[in-house]
Amino acid sequence: GDLETHAATCGFAEVTCTHAGCGATVERRDLKAHAGTCEWRLVKCPKRCGKRVPRGKLEKHKVGECVKRMVECEECGTKRKAEAGDEHWKRHCPERKVG
């Protein structure tokens, strides 16, 4: 009874972080603080692409994976969102050689 209840709620008991990929073991009383700084906690991309990525991989996502990141045309230097794909090259790039 009482021992089981205590064990399930004891602040000094070791618990594992619930964020996929983390696996850190902390005292239950410290779990909330850990969760706030956990590199594996999913956060929304601030560029509003709709993705949720682990906090520790957010920078990599923003600069190399996010479809809302700005990319530069290798031919003319025009900047556009990555989600535009090769539309710029096909229709708008002044450096595109036709025919």
Side-chain angles (χ1 to χ4, degrees):
D2 288 345
L3 182 58
E4 291 160 358
T5 301
H6 174 77
T9 60
C10 179
F12 294 97
E14 289 194 344
V15 293
T16 303
C17 178
T18 58
H19 296 123
C22 180
T25 301
V26 295
E27 290 182 354
R28 181 176 281 118
R29 64 187 180 153
D30 297 329
L31 186 59
K32 188 173 183 176
H34 167 78
T37 61
C38 180
E39 295 292 301
W40 292 94
R41 177 174 51 96
L42 293 179
V43 294
K44 288 182 183 176
C45 175
K47 295 183 179 283
R48 298 184 178 157
C49 70
K51 296 274 186 179
R52 291 171 45 94
V53 296
R55 186 173 162 270
K57 296 184 178 191
L58 183 59
E59 278 307 309
K60 179 183 176 195
H61 168 77
K62 288 191 321 187
V63 300
E65 300 166 354
C66 182
V67 296
K68 301 286 187 184
R69 75 187 185 283
M70 295 303 288
V71 294
E72 187 173 308
C73 175
E74 294 178 10
E75 299 298 324
C76 71
T78 300
K79 294 188 186 234
R80 67 198 187 287
K81 289 187 178 175
E83 67 188 342
D86 57 1
E87 181 70 16
H88 165 78
W89 175 248
K90 288 178 180 175
R91 297 183 180 212
H92 308 290
C93 183
E95 298 298 320
R96 182 170 182 237
K97 310 283 188 281
V98 180

